[in-house]
Amino acid sequence: MSQQKVCILGSGNWGSAIAKIIGTNAACLDSLDSCVKMWVYEELIDGKKLTEIINTTHENVKYLPGKKLPENVVAVPDVVEAAKDADILVFVVPHQFIPKLCSNLEGLIKPTAVGLSLIKGFDVAEGGGIDLISKIINRKLNIDVSVLMGANLANEIADEKFSETTIGCRDQNLGKILKAIIQTDYFRVSVVDDVEAVEICGALKNIVAVGAGFVDGLKLGDNTKAAIIRIGLMEMIKFVDTFYSGARLSTFFESCGVADLITTCYGGRNRKVSEAYVTSGKTIEELEKELLNGQKLQGPITAAEVNFMLKNKHMEIDFPLFTTVHQICIGELTPKDLIEQMKLNTNKTNKLNLEKCNLNTVQGDGK
């Protein structure tokens, strides 16, 4: 059996951290080609090309400084050259860039390739709905796409601190392959077949994290923040139950669900920027440029995409936290309005009866 080639499409903070894991595993696994190509959007750092810096120093000095990448991870500036021979394509770019990325790759990758999306977000769809990133990749490239989501702050994983993650994959054999590529003794992987719920959790938790950041900026304390997290989790469950019925309730207790939600609400970039939005008087766009070193903020964009769908379906009031966060992000409300809106409207979410949801509460096919 020939060795499979892995290509990582994206080299930001998270992309570089996962490259460290995949590169290390590829050097040890007989089933994988040891060379792992990583597509890098070319930038100049102090007059030098970022790809050349990575390939000579084995460090992404812009997005993951101070962390060494395996020498078998090769930075490639041309996305087609990086991906053309790959058997497994790992997508890890900001979600708003995925349509263009896929357009650049159409017809130029192996027809037998499979995808693994680490991208947390949505896109708007025709007819007033939203589109899952995995579905966009599947349609544009005509490949099967699994997803990976979890409580995965990139710097901590790069420091090899114990973490968990969740892979959503319907094919059991492929799930085992993906797990072998990703898992280490400090990064533990659970595989479930509830793909849509895994992916949706990864997107929606960023909206909740924005709300948590507003709470931190207002210095309202841990009780209030816990209430926002709880309300957010209930809206996440309700969203999946309403629009993607057939998911399993147990999926929300995987790393992709409650663990990722907690981590992001306490340590993620969405929380950080949202707190600064309250305290600094600057716009979200200004703070993104100032605080994130070229990384992209996902929460406000995802909130807008979700609101696009809810507004078209006349369901904004049914998801008061998601709606309020969006309204604050676009300036229709102020952060101080957050709690008042929760007092007025969360009865809609609080009445969610899990026992009457379409979610399956036990393990099973669920599809």
Side-chain angles (χ1 to χ4, degrees), residues 212 214-228 266 339:
F214 293 151
V215 170
D216 287 343
L218 294 166
K219 301 188 185 307
L220 295 177
D222 286 337
N223 289 344
T224 303
K225 189 169 179 177
I228 293 299
Y266 277 90
I339 302 308

Side-chain angles (χ1 to χ4, degrees), residues 16 114 130 142 153 206 237 244 266 285 306-307 326 331 343:
S16 297
V114 295
I130 58 172
N142 195 30
L153 296 180
N206 284 328
I237 294 171
Y244 296 88
Y266 277 90
E285 292 76 14
V306 168
N307 186 259
H326 170 66
K343 291 177 184 177

Side-chain angles (χ1 to χ4, degrees), residues 12 56 73 80 92 106 133 139 141 148 168 179-180 222 227 253-254 278-279 296 307 311 327 347 360:
T56 55
V73 173
V80 174
V92 55
E106 281 187 86
I133 298 302
R139 283 198 311 272
L141 300 182
L148 181 149
K179 181 175 180 176
D222 286 337
F253 297 95
E254 295 286 347
V278 177
T279 59
K296 295 299 180 181
N307 186 259
K311 189 171 185 177
Q327 291 173 327
N347 63 309
N360 292 317

Side-chain angles (χ1 to χ4, degrees), residues 11-311:
S11 59
N13 189 235
W14 185 206
S16 297
I18 208 70
K20 182 174 183 286
I21 287 176
I22 294 175
T24 300
N25 285 345
C28 301
L29 294 172
D30 292 336
S31 59
L32 296 182
D33 189 299
S34 62
C35 178
V36 175
K37 293 182 180 179
M38 178 173 69
W39 172 61
V40 175
Y41 179 78
E42 193 70 279
E43 302 176 64
L44 292 179
I45 309 295
D46 296 329
K48 296 181 179 180
K49 294 180 179 180
L50 182 55
T51 52
E52 293 178 0
I53 294 172
I54 292 173
N55 289 334
T56 55
T57 68
H58 308 292
E59 179 183 347
N60 189 333
V61 294
K62 180 167 185 179
Y63 296 110
L64 197 66
K67 309 294 190 286
K68 286 294 183 180
L69 300 177
E71 294 187 7
N72 59 315
V73 173
V74 178
V76 180
D78 185 302
V79 67
V80 174
E81 182 63 29
K84 66 180 183 180
D85 296 324
D87 299 288
I88 300 171
L89 297 166
V90 179
F91 294 84
V92 55
V93 296
H95 77 272
Q96 58 267 38
F97 298 152
I98 202 67
K100 182 178 180 181
L101 175 64
C102 288
S103 294
N104 290 337
L105 292 176
E106 281 187 86
L108 300 174
I109 62 172
K110 294 176 72 170
T112 55
V114 295
L116 178 66
S117 173
L118 280 61
I119 301 171
K120 298 178 178 180
F122 300 123
D123 197 4
V124 296
E126 295 181 6
I130 58 172
D131 219 350
L132 300 183
I133 298 302
S134 65
K135 301 298 184 185
I136 296 173
I137 299 171
N138 169 259
R139 283 198 311 272
K140 285 186 170 290
L141 300 182
N142 195 30
I143 60 173
D144 289 333
V145 183
S146 301
V147 298
L148 181 149
M149 307 284 158
N152 304 149
L153 296 180
N155 285 345
E156 294 184 10
I157 292 170
D159 285 334
E160 301 187 5
K161 296 178 179 178
F162 179 77
S163 305
E164 297 179 313
T165 199
T166 310
I167 290 177
C169 179
R170 290 191 180 87
D171 185 317
Q172 288 187 356
N173 291 328
L174 177 59
K176 292 176 182 178
I177 293 170
L178 297 175
K179 181 175 180 176
I181 292 170
I182 300 293
Q183 181 159 273
T184 71
D185 59 349
Y186 62 87
F187 192 56
R188 309 306 291 174
V189 178
S190 174
V191 181
V192 301
D193 65 2
D194 201 0
V195 180
E196 285 83 4
V198 172
E199 182 170 5
I200 294 166
C201 281
L204 294 180
K205 56 91 184 181
N206 284 328
I207 305 177
V208 186
V210 172
F214 293 151
V215 170
D216 287 343
L218 294 166
K219 301 188 185 307
L220 295 177
D222 286 337
N223 289 344
T224 303
K225 189 169 179 177
I228 293 299
I229 294 172
R230 186 201 69 82
I231 293 167
L233 177 61
M234 295 295 281
E235 290 195 14
M236 289 166 60
I237 294 171
K238 184 176 182 178
F239 188 92
V240 172
D241 180 53
T242 302
F243 302 114
Y244 296 88
S245 62
R248 286 197 294 272
L249 185 61
S250 60
T251 300
F252 294 90
F253 297 95
E254 295 286 347
S255 182
C256 64
V258 65
D260 195 9
L261 178 62
I262 293 169
T263 295
T264 308
C265 287
Y266 277 90
R269 69 186 70 161
N270 292 282
R271 188 219 62 80
K272 177 182 179 180
V273 171
S274 300
E275 179 183 20
Y277 177 69
V278 177
T279 59
S280 69
K282 298 179 181 179
T283 67
I284 288 176
E285 292 76 14
E286 289 171 334
L287 291 166
E288 181 183 51
K289 294 178 181 178
E290 181 179 313
L291 299 177
L292 298 186
N293 191 35
Q295 298 177 79
K296 295 299 180 181
L297 196 65
Q298 301 299 307
I301 297 174
T302 303
E305 292 159 349
V306 168
N307 186 259
F308 171 79
M309 178 177 182
L310 296 178
K311 189 171 185 177

